[in-house]
Amino acid sequence: MAEHQKAELFELTNGIIRLKLTNYGATITSLFLPDKQGNLADVVLGFDSLEPYLQGASPYFGCIVGRVANRIKDGKFTLDGVNYSLPINNPPNSLHGGHKGFDKVVWEVVEHINGENPSITFKYHSRDGEEGFPSFSVYLLLLFSRYHVFLWNDVSHDGEKGLLFLSLLLLFSSYRTFLCNDILIVPEPGYPGDVTVTATYTLTSGTTMRLDMEAVPKTKPTPVNLAQHTYWNLAGHSSGKVLEHSVQIWASRITPVDQNSIPTGEIMPVEGTVFDFNSENKIGSLIHEVPGLGYDHNYVLDCGEEKSGLKHAAKVKDPLSSRVLNLWTNAPGMQFYTANYVDGVFGKGGTIYGKHSGLCLETQGFPNAINQPNFPSIVVQPGEKYKHTMLFEFSVE
């Protein structure tokens, strides 16, 4: 079981690709690829050891985020008539699962296979009520229940204070009766239902890596939206900004956002805007015109070219090394993020990562989909299986 396991490092290699991972957050920590001269470089941002991950220094480097990736507006949603609340860890919203999402837990290693197509499978059991916490009124209730005898001893000798205390005690007793009879509902329940999640990384060939994520709710319907959050820099993790990388995204629309990065509900065409990557374009060419600090937007993926049942989501190329990444997926959306909030993070080999030092291609369900009925649903019923696949194809050109 994962609760009896500790965070460890693992490696998959097929002689060309060398992948390092940890079961803490099912995280990619390093990925070495050859350039056009055959020189290897680590092309993902991260840390040399496990300690920074365990200490919370990582801005989601390389991990799997969930139970719900991206933002949930105000940390609230309603499902089957029940109101749910989550921690606000990215004010005023809940981000990437909450305070302790899937990226901050130790996953069980259920299989580790070496050979021509090496793979590793991680598993995590997400419990009913995860990321839940009692409301402020419950804290007061528990505090008063525990210490009312001591308070009475302090005020019983004073008639006026004693009368006030007895009034509070009567109010407390009535409030507790409401609670016990389920008339007043005050707990903040977190995510509903038990869910078993697995993530399998496989080097399917000398040029490809596949990630299969699955989740099965056990007891209640629940939102599920997993995302892989690697920060890519195809020139090498220590090479600086990715603004010279060219990107193509197979998406003709995005879900525009408000001032709090929550989708407005609109589906907006990208043609002729700063979000248009229908043909290859340098990241840095228009990023200064993007509202805010850079790209952090969900692209609505088109149903076009396919490979192994997956649609083409994005292509990234570094002009110096000629390394190329093509991404394929079955997810409906992809968050294109340019490391806007990375600032002075001490990474591998003493490298200091700054703004735009990497890019993320987070295939996903749409942000805040649980609160947007016109977005594809992310609710999974008990016994159903959530499936999310990503195929990373590496080359030089």
Side-chain angles (χ1 to χ4, degrees), residues 135-245:
S135 68
F136 183 65
S137 55
V138 172
Y139 281 124
L140 289 179
L141 186 67
L142 295 174
L143 194 64
F144 190 70
S145 177
R146 182 170 183 177
Y147 293 110
H148 71 276
V149 174
F150 301 104
L151 291 171
W152 174 249
N153 290 336
D154 286 339
V155 303
S156 58
H157 63 278
D158 187 316
E160 186 175 338
K161 289 181 180 179
L163 183 60
L164 177 60
F165 179 81
L166 289 173
S167 300
L168 288 172
L169 186 60
L170 180 62
L171 180 62
F172 160 74
S173 299
S174 301
Y175 186 37
R176 184 172 59 181
T177 300
F178 280 122
L179 287 173
C180 293
N181 290 322
D182 293 324
I183 295 174
L184 182 61
I185 301 174
V186 293
E188 305 287 358
Y191 288 107
D194 295 320
V195 180
T196 299
V197 185
T198 60
T200 300
Y201 292 91
T202 307
L203 300 184
T204 50
S205 76
T207 58
T208 55
M209 176 181 71
R210 181 181 174 112
L211 170 60
D212 292 290
M213 294 174 278
E214 296 183 353
V216 179
K218 301 293 185 182
T219 54
K220 300 176 183 177
T222 186
V224 179
N225 183 21
L226 307 181
Q228 215 292 336
H229 208 289
T230 289
Y231 288 73
W232 300 93
N233 187 326
L234 297 183
H237 78 93
S238 59
S239 63
K241 298 180 184 292
V242 295
L243 299 181
E244 292 300 308
H245 282 44

Side-chain angles (χ1 to χ4, degrees), residues 60-350:
Y60 303 102
F61 284 160
C63 59
I64 290 178
V65 292
R67 181 179 302 192
V68 175
N70 218 300
R71 293 169 178 86
I72 294 179
K73 183 178 181 181
D74 299 328
K76 296 178 180 179
F77 64 93
T78 300
L79 182 58
D80 290 347
V82 179
N83 297 322
Y84 294 93
S85 294
L86 302 167
I88 305 299
N89 61 326
N90 182 242
N93 307 308
S94 182
L95 175 68
H96 290 332
H99 286 310
K100 192 177 181 181
F102 292 178
D103 61 298
K104 295 180 180 67
V105 296
V106 176
W107 295 49
E108 179 185 357
V109 180
V110 294
E111 189 174 57
H112 185 190
I113 300 174
N114 294 311
E116 185 178 352
N117 301 118
S119 67
I120 190 166
T121 298
F122 302 115
K123 182 169 73 173
Y124 176 63
H125 178 72
S126 178
R127 61 176 175 80
D128 183 24
E130 196 163 80
E131 287 299 296
F133 55 97
S135 68
F136 183 65
S137 55
V138 172
Y139 281 124
L140 289 179
L141 186 67
L142 295 174
L143 194 64
F144 190 70
S145 177
R146 182 170 183 177
Y147 293 110
H148 71 276
V149 174
F150 301 104
L151 291 171
W152 174 249
N153 290 336
D154 286 339
V155 303
S156 58
H157 63 278
D158 187 316
E160 186 175 338
K161 289 181 180 179
L163 183 60
L164 177 60
F165 179 81
L166 289 173
S167 300
L168 288 172
L169 186 60
L170 180 62
L171 180 62
F172 160 74
S173 299
S174 301
Y175 186 37
R176 184 172 59 181
T177 300
F178 280 122
L179 287 173
C180 293
N181 290 322
D182 293 324
I183 295 174
L184 182 61
I185 301 174
V186 293
E188 305 287 358
Y191 288 107
D194 295 320
V195 180
T196 299
V197 185
T198 60
T200 300
Y201 292 91
T202 307
L203 300 184
T204 50
S205 76
T207 58
T208 55
M209 176 181 71
R210 181 181 174 112
L211 170 60
D212 292 290
M213 294 174 278
E214 296 183 353
V216 179
K218 301 293 185 182
T219 54
K220 300 176 183 177
T222 186
V224 179
N225 183 21
L226 307 181
Q228 215 292 336
H229 208 289
T230 289
Y231 288 73
W232 300 93
N233 187 326
L234 297 183
H237 78 93
S238 59
S239 63
K241 298 180 184 292
V242 295
L243 299 181
E244 292 300 308
H245 282 44
S246 63
V247 172
Q248 183 174 1
I249 301 175
W250 275 259
S252 56
R253 298 170 296 166
I254 63 167
T255 52
V257 296
D258 63 17
Q259 69 276 13
N260 294 319
S261 298
I262 293 294
T264 62
E266 179 188 2
I267 307 292
M268 185 186 85
V270 299
E271 185 177 4
T273 73
V274 296
F275 304 105
D276 190 349
F277 286 95
N278 278 293
S279 57
E280 285 189 38
N281 198 5
K282 283 186 179 180
I283 294 174
S285 62
L286 293 173
I287 195 170
H288 60 283
E289 297 182 22
V290 178
L293 300 175
Y295 292 100
D296 190 9
H297 297 79
N298 174 61
Y299 282 73
V300 180
L301 297 176
D302 297 332
C303 297
E305 183 182 2
E306 289 195 358
K307 176 176 289 191
S308 302
L310 307 175
K311 54 192 172 187
H312 208 168
K315 176 184 178 181
V316 183
K317 180 179 179 180
D318 167 48
L320 295 179
S321 68
S322 296
R323 291 188 185 92
V324 175
L325 164 60
N326 278 282
L327 175 61
W328 309 74
T329 188
N330 61 349
M334 184 189 75
Q335 191 84 1
F336 176 46
Y337 174 55
T338 49
N340 308 325
Y341 299 101
V342 176
D343 182 18
V345 178
F346 287 83
K348 287 177 282 194

Side-chain angles (χ1 to χ4, degrees), residues 49 84 91 221 374 394:
S49 67
Y84 294 93
N374 60 313
F394 307 107

